[in-house]
């Protein structure tokens, strides 16, 4: 039987990207930082820093994607 491991970097990245998108779509009423705090409650203590850095990378990626879409006139 194999043991499944969770890559908290990737989980944090996906959550950060989605949280930034939610914040943008709800015009800031659902803050990404609040979403991160809720999700961190379920992350083991040893993996919290990996999750946090992944989360920040995901947020930054969404903001970059959004800026590029706006700069080139794509539908937002």
């Amino acid at each position: 039987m194999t043991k499944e491991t969770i890559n908290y970097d990737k989980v944090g990245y996906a959550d950060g990207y989605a949280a930034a998108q939610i914040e943008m779509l709800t015009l800031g009423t659902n803050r990404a930082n609040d979403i991160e705090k809720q999700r961190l409650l379920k992350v083991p203590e040893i993996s919290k820093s990996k999750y946090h850095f992944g989360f920040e990378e995901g947020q930054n990626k969404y903001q970059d994607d959004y800026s590029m879409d706006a700069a080139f006139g794509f539908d937002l």
Side-chain angles (χ1 to χ4, degrees), residues 9-19 54-55 58:
D9 259 347
K10 289 183 180 180
V11 172
Y13 181 88
D15 286 350
Y17 193 92
F55 193 91

Side-chain angles (χ1 to χ4, degrees), residues 31-70:
R31 296 281 180 200
N33 293 338
D34 294 339
I35 295 170
E36 180 185 18
K37 287 177 189 174
Q38 291 171 354
R39 295 290 289 177
L40 272 173
L41 295 175
K42 297 179 182 180
V43 175
E45 192 66 38
I46 198 166
S47 300
K48 287 189 188 244
S49 64
K50 287 183 179 181
Y51 179 86
H52 174 72
F53 289 122
F55 193 91
E56 286 184 352
E57 285 180 33
Q59 281 183 301
N60 292 338
K61 177 64 175 157
Y62 177 77
Q63 291 169 356
D64 289 347
D65 290 349
Y66 185 82
S67 296
M68 291 302 289
D69 288 348

